[in-house]
Amino acid sequence: MRNSGAISVFRFWPMNQIPDDSDKRMIPKDQMDSPSIEEGSSVGSLNGGNPVLKKGPWTSAEDAILMDYVKRHGEGNWNAVQKHTGLSRCGKSCRLRWANHLRPNLKKGAFTPEEEQLIVELHAKMGNKWARMAGHLPGRTDNEIKNYWNTRVKRRQRAGLPLYPPNLCYQIADENQRCNNSSEYFYYGKHPTDSLLGSDFDICDTVFDNFDADHSALAYARPFSDAAVTSMLSKKFGSQKYFLVDPTVSSMKRPRDSESLFPALHSNFSNGHSRFGHPFLEPLRKMQRTSGLGYHCDPDPSSKNLQSFGSAIPSSHAFLNGTFSASSPSSGTVKLELPSLQHTEIDGSSWLACSSTPLVVVDTYGESAPATVSLQTDCVSPHNSGLLDALVHEAQVISCAKKEPSEKRLGSVIIPDNVVKSSELSISEKKFEEFNDPISPLGCSAASIFSEFTPLIGGSSLDELPHSNAASSSGDILMTAEHVSSPIDGDKDILIEGVSVQPDAFVGSPWFEDNSLQPDAKDYSIFDDAIAIFMGQDLSNDYNPLPAGRSSAHMQAFGLDSCPWNNMPNACQMP
DNA sequence: AAGGAAGGCAACCGCGAAATA
DNA sequence: ATATTTCGCGGTTGCCTTCCT
């Protein structure tokens, strides 16, 4: 029994995990001396008729017993395992062991780059739905994926990199545009609430099949079912599971200071202004209200500007990295579960009811009284999804609303006219060329964005590519680049980077519909806003020094001497 | 070489949904 | 219809290994 069982077990172990003597290595010290841990001794001892269920690492003998049981009885009815075999393991533990280690066709070992990419994409769309993600990765377990992701989060946090590759953003953006044109934007249920119930959120299995490492040919990406995701997320928010804020990780374990990791956030904290008036931040507001975090709820509507967000909302990384930086002076621990590109709201219906929800738009410049605007977006807004396409959609909304400049009706975000007028940011093709200059700081920085999915030469991990390498290796065309410079922590500039994309990614999109030949600065500003969100780019840490004159000129133009985000779109205040 | 920190992995726990009695 | 059981998922923890100082 013991020998044969052990042999059969070993078939499923990778070479580096053969559970021979290593079993003992894994045994906690307090169990090492216990006879029950020895091989073949896992048959439960009875303690007053109730077997003492064993915990901790499994021995090969236990594995053999479990496998033998499954062979005979099949999977399921895990609680019966202990009864039939005497194995001192609870059914739960048996199921877990089987699912994660013993079942056939398990793929062991490190994830391949393809798998890693797939995980990233899946996570961008699904969030922390490990089991579902595992369904897209044959031979991989949810636990494996989960561990991989958690490791990735930590690793990229340390590196100050966004969790999601930019090409994901464009893939979604491009696809959303296509779907928008075909009137099947964002949800597929008969009614938004159908999918809101979370019943029919399915990721198209073909989405990632053709995902190419060089991201030159973006596969069809079915747009997210934002409502379904909303359901998922709202559930989490409803249970106060927000982003994970782990002060120990964030403030103690990070080798880099918090500012460098979440510079945008930091800058927001520093300046009290958020760059993004994104409604997905509202849940965090609520969270803060209840958690006592830094958010100051100002009852005065006139003060409902971005300062509220600025105090605690990570404008980029918090959402892009899936974890909330504790660089903020948060005094408490708030759990923020969400995929990096997802946001949600506490009340899942609030955003869906967008058509009837007036938004109070506050001009942070104080040049106009708060205005109530009606959303002119499609009723089904992606705001609630928090996914990539949601952000893209919002940017598109902004862009579309631009067509009505006199009313400043921008859906959910208002771009102050004066920003554009005074920004000197009209980007010409010449500027593109300038920014595309690989020598220029921006060129390098922008290109660095794409490091993640830039094929490595001799590298083993997609995560390890240094920025500088990517800068030169990226052959993408830098479509837009915009500097917004402002002193951050002294002489640091914030570089709001343009994004290198596939040239056709936005051609024909609302971004350029009206100004395809000479896109104005507003388009790019909007575009970059969204991109900056997507990228989670280390806006202040990955900054690249600008030429002094240029920098100062922009600073003056934006009036950013004291606040780098002053020119940012005003937030819409949800009632 | 030693100690500590970080990484990585396996397993457990709590909760909720589904199935069953 | 209700209570109980089973199952599955996601979050978290603990331990070992590896890396760094």
Side-chain angles (χ1 to χ4, degrees):
Chain A
M1 171 65 182
R2 172 183 171 179
N3 289 339
S4 60
I7 290 173
S8 64
V9 168
F10 291 165
R11 291 183 309 179
F12 301 99
W13 286 81
M15 290 300 293
N16 61 346
Q17 295 186 27
I18 293 176
D20 43 20
D21 290 339
S22 64
D23 279 345
K24 293 178 180 178
R25 174 177 54 82
M26 294 294 294
I27 297 170
K29 291 178 180 178
D30 59 341
Q31 297 183 25
M32 284 293 288
D33 297 333
S34 171
S36 63
I37 204 67
E38 297 300 328
E39 292 274 321
S41 65
S42 55
V43 174
S45 60
L46 295 179
N47 181 10
N50 295 324
V52 178
L53 296 180
K54 182 168 164 281
K55 294 182 181 179
W58 281 64
T59 66
S60 56
E62 289 176 309
D63 286 341
I65 292 171
L66 179 57
M67 289 192 65
D68 184 64
Y69 173 85
V70 175
K71 279 181 184 176
R72 297 185 186 188
H73 301 91
E75 298 182 41
N77 203 10
W78 296 108
N79 284 336
V81 175
Q82 190 243 326
K83 297 173 186 174
H84 287 114
T85 66
L87 196 60
S88 305
R89 297 281 184 171
C90 68
K92 221 175 182 179
S93 183
C94 292
R95 187 190 67 82
L96 199 66
R97 182 65 182 176
W98 173 259
N100 288 343
H101 298 280
L102 301 181
R103 65 181 167 92
N105 303 323
L106 271 183
K107 199 186 293 182
K108 291 284 185 175
F111 285 103
T112 66
E114 290 76 18
E115 287 175 320
E116 291 178 355
Q117 288 183 2
L118 184 52
I119 291 171
V120 172
E121 285 229 6
L122 289 170
H123 191 275
K125 290 178 176 290
M126 295 179 178
N128 295 356
K129 297 299 178 184
W130 312 119
R132 297 179 73 170
M133 292 167 72
H136 292 261
L137 291 157
R140 298 296 186 178
T141 68
D142 54 353
N143 207 37
E144 256 183 313
I145 297 171
K146 180 172 58 182
N147 285 336
Y148 165 77
W149 185 260
N150 290 336
T151 300
R152 174 189 167 86
V153 168
K154 281 194 262 181
R155 199 164 56 219
R156 294 187 73 84
Q157 269 191 352
R158 278 195 306 274
L161 296 171
L163 269 182
Y164 295 100
N167 55 314
L168 256 181
C169 309
Y170 294 106
Q171 179 179 353
I172 300 305
D174 183 50
E175 190 55 38
N176 279 345
Q177 177 56 37
R178 270 186 267 161
C179 292
N180 198 20
N181 294 337
S182 59
S183 300
E184 44 178 23
Y185 209 85
F186 289 119
Y187 73 93
Y188 294 86
K190 299 173 183 178
H191 185 274
T193 55
D194 290 343
S195 51
L196 185 62
L197 296 176
S199 59
D200 58 355
F201 174 47
D202 275 314
I203 298 296
C204 177
D205 289 341
T206 64
V207 166
F208 310 110
D209 291 348
N210 299 321
F211 190 82
D212 195 342
D214 64 8
H215 58 85
S216 59
L218 296 175
Y220 168 76
R222 183 174 173 175
F224 311 141
S225 172
D226 69 309
V229 174
T230 295
S231 173
M232 172 185 82
L233 299 178
S234 62
K235 184 176 73 173
K236 294 301 182 182
F237 270 89
S239 60
Q240 297 301 306
K241 293 180 179 178
Y242 298 90
F243 292 89
L244 175 65
V245 177
D246 186 346
T248 60
V249 169
S250 301
S251 61
M252 294 174 64
K253 293 183 177 180
R254 280 210 309 262
R256 303 174 61 184
D257 62 64
S258 57
E259 176 197 349
S260 64
L261 283 174
F262 299 109
L265 170 61
H266 184 86
S267 65
N268 288 339
F269 284 133
S270 302
N271 299 286
H273 287 271
S274 169
R275 180 177 184 209
F276 307 106
H278 202 289
F280 69 58
L281 301 178
E282 179 63 16
L284 291 173
R285 287 181 167 184
K286 294 180 180 178
M287 172 195 75
Q288 287 181 303
R289 292 183 191 122
T290 56
S291 66
L293 282 175
Y295 168 62
H296 305 291
C297 182
D298 190 338
D300 181 6
S302 64
S303 66
K304 283 184 178 179
N305 57 19
L306 295 167
Q307 287 187 348
S308 304
F309 291 135
S311 64
I313 298 303
S315 63
S316 59
H317 281 83
F319 296 93
L320 291 170
N321 285 353
T323 51
F324 193 114
S325 168
S327 59
S328 62
S330 59
S331 57
T333 298
V334 179
K335 293 166 71 174
L336 293 173
E337 185 268 346
L338 273 191
S340 305
L341 291 169
Q342 293 183 4
H343 59 264
T344 186
E345 65 283 341
I346 295 175
D347 181 358
S349 63
S350 60
W351 302 108
L352 288 173
C354 57
S355 62
S356 59
T357 303
L359 299 179
V360 177
V361 179
V362 179
D363 187 341
T364 57
Y365 289 82
E367 295 181 358
S368 62
T372 299
V373 294
S374 300
L375 286 175
Q376 292 196 331
T377 66
D378 296 340
C379 182
V380 182
S381 165
H383 294 164
N384 53 322
S385 76
L387 296 170
L388 274 171
D389 59 344
L391 297 174
V392 171
H393 177 265
E394 176 163 358
Q396 289 173 334
V397 168
I398 295 168
S399 178
C400 293
K402 175 180 65 65
K403 299 169 183 176
E404 306 174 61
S406 62
E407 296 194 15
K408 295 185 177 182
R409 193 170 291 181
L410 298 180
S412 59
V413 179
I414 298 299
I415 305 297
D417 288 338
N418 58 324
V419 170
V420 175
K421 290 175 182 177
S422 62
S423 67
E424 298 180 357
L425 282 177
S426 295
I427 300 177
S428 64
E429 292 182 8
K430 183 177 180 179
K431 241 179 184 176
F432 288 153
E433 295 172 3
E434 177 182 354
F435 288 137
N436 198 29
D437 181 0
I439 302 175
S440 71
L442 178 62
C444 294
S445 180
S448 70
I449 298 174
F450 303 94
S451 61
E452 176 163 359
F453 280 99
T454 302
L456 282 177
I457 300 176
S460 58
S461 170
L462 293 167
D463 295 332
E464 310 303 331
L465 184 66
H467 288 197
S468 56
N469 293 347
S472 57
S473 62
S474 173
D476 290 327
I477 299 173
L478 191 61
M479 288 189 64
T480 174
E482 174 179 350
H483 283 102
V484 177
S485 303
S486 144
I488 298 287
D489 289 2
D491 55 353
K492 287 185 178 179
D493 290 332
I494 285 182
L495 175 61
I496 299 176
E497 295 176 334
V499 179
S500 168
V501 297
Q502 300 305 311
D504 59 345
F506 289 85
V507 173
S509 75
W511 299 102
F512 298 130
E513 270 181 2
D514 297 337
N515 305 290
S516 57
L517 295 178
Q518 287 186 320
D520 62 26
K522 190 183 292 183
D523 280 312
Y524 289 102
S525 177
I526 296 164
F527 175 77
D528 286 344
D529 280 351
I531 293 306
I533 297 172
F534 295 158
M535 298 308 149
Q537 182 67 11
D538 228 347
L539 293 179
S540 68
N541 190 58
D542 286 348
Y543 76 98
N544 291 287
L546 297 172
R550 178 190 210 90
S551 177
S552 60
H554 279 83
M555 287 163 54
Q556 293 173 4
F558 280 86
L560 295 175
D561 288 342
S562 59
C563 174
W565 305 120
N566 272 353
N567 62 318
M568 300 312 164
N570 298 319
C572 296
Q573 306 299 319
M574 297 302 292

